[in-house]
Amino acid sequence: MAKKQTRRTFLKSLIGGTLAVFGIGAGGYFYAREIEPNLLDVQTHIIAHSLIPGQFDGTRIVQFSDTHLGFQYPLEQLKRLAQKINSLKPDMIIFSGDLMDEPNKYDTAHAIVPILKGLHAPLGKFSIYGNHDHGGYGTNLYKTIMDESGFQTLVNENVALTRNGQSIYLAGIDDAMLGKPDIKASANGIPTGAYKILLSHAPDLADDAIEHGFHFQLSGHSHGGQIKIPFFGALVKPPFAEKYHEGFYTIAGEVPLTLYVNRGLGTTRLPFRFMSKPELTVFTLKIPTE
């Protein structure tokens, strides 16, 4: 009797076949499953803008995203990541969503807190909801874990970050797929002329963010496509990451918006990464020299 094929098994077979078709073969399949998901690509970028106050010149922001704990991303890997983040000496730490892959099935959630609590950043640690954080009845569990870990979870709200009387503003919205994002509410009360950063798990909401004067948006969700095929591009583009799925984009508007889409760290649905290494990103805020 033939064994019933699940959707995940079907997709796994499809990806393996696709890798083979493009001449990558068994070696590429092994690399995509066993090697690349365990790598870490540390990206460093300068973010220059005339509205960045002098007191924030040189501020280092570390973003990590999409760990999907429980699906091919164990706690030991999270511990190594935390050590790496602390070694970068960030001023601010951002987690842009999808902590556990299936919160209702993750039975060691209590062990996450001491790892994340050990992260240090003098300007604060901030988080937002991803779709997997709401999924599996995880909404309250995620909030509890982040609270106990010293992260402030921003849900359609903003916070002023102040140094010696000068401020920038950090806003965060709810997830686009399973939450109720409200970009307008997240911008309420931010003074005109202030430098504004938006955290949105879903990158494609950048097209709405330009209507509210944000200068910089940090997102995740896409995993950079998770699997990219030469000459073809990203195979996996989830809803709300179909237009923007990796790296920098400039969205034109009355106030131009710079969007950055982090490739994330874990995997979901399929235990593969190919040409889309797990990413940790360091942004340094700078005052333009010209």
Side-chain angles (χ1 to χ4, degrees):
M1 183 172 142
K3 183 179 179 180
K4 184 177 179 181
Q5 190 176 45
T6 65
R7 183 172 183 272
R8 182 172 289 179
T9 302
F10 169 75
L11 289 172
K12 182 178 174 182
S13 299
L14 176 63
I15 295 302
T18 302
L19 294 173
V21 165
F22 281 88
I24 299 164
Y29 182 92
F30 177 81
Y31 171 82
R33 179 171 182 132
E34 304 295 339
I35 304 299
E36 187 164 306
N38 294 297
L39 300 178
L40 182 62
D41 182 19
V42 180
Q43 291 281 319
T44 59
H45 301 289
I46 300 294
I47 303 298
H49 197 283
S50 60
L51 291 180
I52 294 172
Q55 290 295 322
F56 286 84
D57 189 41
T59 295
R60 290 164 64 85
I61 302 171
V62 171
Q63 179 197 14
F64 71 111
S65 191
D66 296 271
T67 47
H68 288 272
L69 287 162
F71 184 72
Q72 309 298 319
Y73 199 93
L75 284 171
E76 283 303 316
Q77 200 163 349
L78 184 66
K79 289 177 183 178
R80 293 194 296 271
L81 176 74
Q83 292 171 353
K84 182 62 179 179
I85 291 174
N86 280 335
S87 75
L88 295 169
K89 300 189 182 305
D91 296 293
M92 186 194 317
I93 297 173
I94 302 296
F95 178 67
S96 44
D98 281 2
L99 180 66
M100 295 167 284
D101 196 64
E102 296 180 283
N104 62 330
K105 296 180 180 179
Y106 195 76
D107 58 5
T108 53
H110 63 280
I112 300 172
V113 171
I115 300 172
L116 296 184
K117 193 172 183 177
L119 293 173
H120 303 293
L123 276 175
K125 304 187 295 188
F126 302 92
S127 55
I128 53 173
Y129 278 100
N131 53 300
H132 283 257
D133 303 316
H134 281 308
Y137 304 98
T139 302
N140 292 333
L141 175 60
Y142 175 75
K143 180 67 162 53
T144 298
I145 289 172
M146 301 315 282
D147 285 352
E148 293 181 357
S149 300
F151 279 74
Q152 182 175 350
T153 302
L154 299 173
V155 185
N156 303 326
E157 59 189 322
N158 67 75
V159 61
L161 306 173
T162 303
R163 276 179 170 169
N164 298 322
Q166 294 184 332
S167 300
I168 62 174
Y169 287 78
L170 183 69
I173 57 173
D174 204 355
D175 174 65
M177 289 181 66
L178 299 180
K180 296 179 179 179
D182 189 334
I183 299 174
K184 182 179 179 180
S186 77
N188 282 347
I190 300 179
T192 301
Y195 185 70
K196 298 188 286 188
I197 302 172
L198 177 66
L199 308 181
S200 169
H201 183 67
D204 287 359
L205 267 61
D207 288 337
D208 298 319
I210 59 170
E211 303 298 326
H212 300 282
F214 285 99
H215 304 100
F216 187 32
Q217 177 178 320
L218 293 174
S219 295
H221 185 47
S222 67
H223 300 194
Q226 194 163 306
I227 299 156
K228 291 189 288 188
I229 300 299
F231 311 111
F232 183 82
L235 289 186
V236 182
K237 293 182 182 179
F240 299 103
E242 296 168 298
K243 188 173 182 181
Y244 308 117
H245 64 276
E246 180 182 0
F248 280 106
Y249 300 88
T250 299
I251 292 87
E254 185 176 343
V255 177
L257 171 69
T258 298
L259 165 66
Y260 189 83
V261 186
N262 183 292
R263 292 193 301 269
L265 294 153
T267 60
T268 188
R269 293 182 180 270
L270 294 166
F272 301 102
R273 273 187 180 263
F274 189 76
M275 297 181 66
S276 185
K277 292 178 184 177
E279 176 182 353
L280 183 65
T281 320
V282 185
F283 303 98
T284 302
L285 302 183
K286 297 293 290 184
I287 299 173
T289 56
E290 296 182 2

